[in-house]
Amino acid sequence: MKKLIPIILASLFLVGCSNQKLQSHNSSSSTSSKQVKKNASPTAPKPDIHKKYPGLTLMTIPSQFRGTWYRSDPFSKNARKLVITDHLVNNSVLYKKTGKFKLDHNSAKQNKEYAGDISLGRVMQKNGQTWLRVRDILGSVDLIYITGNFKGHECLYLAYSSGDIHSAIFKDAKTALKYRKYDFSKVN
């Protein structure tokens, strides 16, 4: 038994050292993989604009809203990009309701049926401006994009369901940063 104790202790010591090396190797390996992931561009699945949903049809977004837009806020030093295409707002497919039915976010059936990155859209004319109302398919709050011009720059004003403007997005990132601290609630 006395001869086994040093062997057992030596075995435990070697196992402990090999685990420490393994952990060290794994942490350096995960660090390098994190760096690769950070530098690699994420590849999100492309939205399926051909998918059919009951009571919805694909919406075509008016041309004055399309393009790459930029916005910022008082706490950001970088502008955030918003891309609007024929049928997408930042990779969310835009649909319009065609049937008379109520969308209910509490409905398990509807949550399954309307799963995916899809939104409801509606275009309106108000006070000589075009409004694009967008909301999550089962959501209750609209995000409104209103065509406009701010100090000579083409822009889209942003408002929530009530229509009160709270921000603006511009075609140029530098312009978005320039006006990031401006109080857009003063705009009518």
Side-chain angles (χ1 to χ4, degrees):
M1 182 70 175
K2 284 186 178 183
K3 289 183 179 182
L4 288 177
I5 291 177
I7 294 172
I8 293 172
L9 288 175
S11 301
L12 289 173
F13 178 76
L14 290 174
V15 168
C17 288
S18 68
N19 280 342
Q20 197 171 31
K21 281 185 181 178
L22 183 62
Q23 287 173 350
S24 170
H25 175 71
N26 284 344
S27 67
S28 67
S29 170
S30 70
T31 302
S32 64
S33 69
K34 284 179 188 172
Q35 289 171 344
V36 170
K37 287 178 187 174
K38 186 189 283 186
N39 294 336
S41 63
T43 53
K46 286 190 173 187
D48 183 4
I49 64 169
H50 302 292
K51 187 167 181 181
K52 305 290 183 202
Y53 294 95
L56 302 176
T57 59
L58 187 64
M59 181 178 165
T60 300
I61 299 169
S63 60
Q64 64 261 43
F65 294 98
R66 295 182 209 154
T68 301
W69 300 86
Y70 298 91
R71 70 177 286 215
S72 192
D73 61 67
F75 308 105
S76 299
K77 293 189 178 182
N78 297 315
R80 294 180 305 279
K81 190 187 301 187
L82 171 73
V83 178
I84 301 176
T85 66
D86 293 354
H87 308 291
L88 303 171
V89 176
N90 262 3
N91 288 326
S92 181
V93 183
L94 209 56
Y95 290 90
K96 59 183 175 181
K97 277 175 59 169
T98 57
K100 295 269 184 188
F101 64 98
K102 184 178 180 188
L103 291 167
D104 179 14
H105 70 278
N106 292 319
S107 166
K109 180 183 176 191
Q110 285 187 354
N111 274 294
K112 189 174 184 177
E113 191 171 26
Y114 296 105
D117 199 0
I118 61 174
S119 299
L120 282 180
R122 188 174 72 182
V123 177
M124 310 166 43
Q125 292 292 323
K126 198 169 185 178
N127 300 330
Q129 296 172 311
T130 306
W131 291 29
L132 173 64
R133 297 181 80 103
V134 177
R135 72 176 169 97
D136 184 59
I137 191 72
L138 296 173
S140 59
V141 177
D142 291 351
L143 184 58
I144 305 169
Y145 302 97
I146 305 167
T147 57
N149 195 305
F150 182 76
K151 297 188 179 187
H153 301 281
E154 181 182 3
C155 71
L156 293 177
Y157 293 110
L158 297 177
Y160 290 116
S161 296
S162 65
D164 296 332
I165 294 171
H166 66 85
S167 183
I169 56 177
F170 298 91
K171 288 280 189 176
D172 178 53
K174 288 180 184 177
T175 306
L177 289 170
K178 179 179 178 180
Y179 295 112
R180 74 178 196 258
K181 293 184 180 181
Y182 187 85
D183 182 6
F184 285 96
S185 66
K186 297 175 185 175
V187 176
N188 294 333

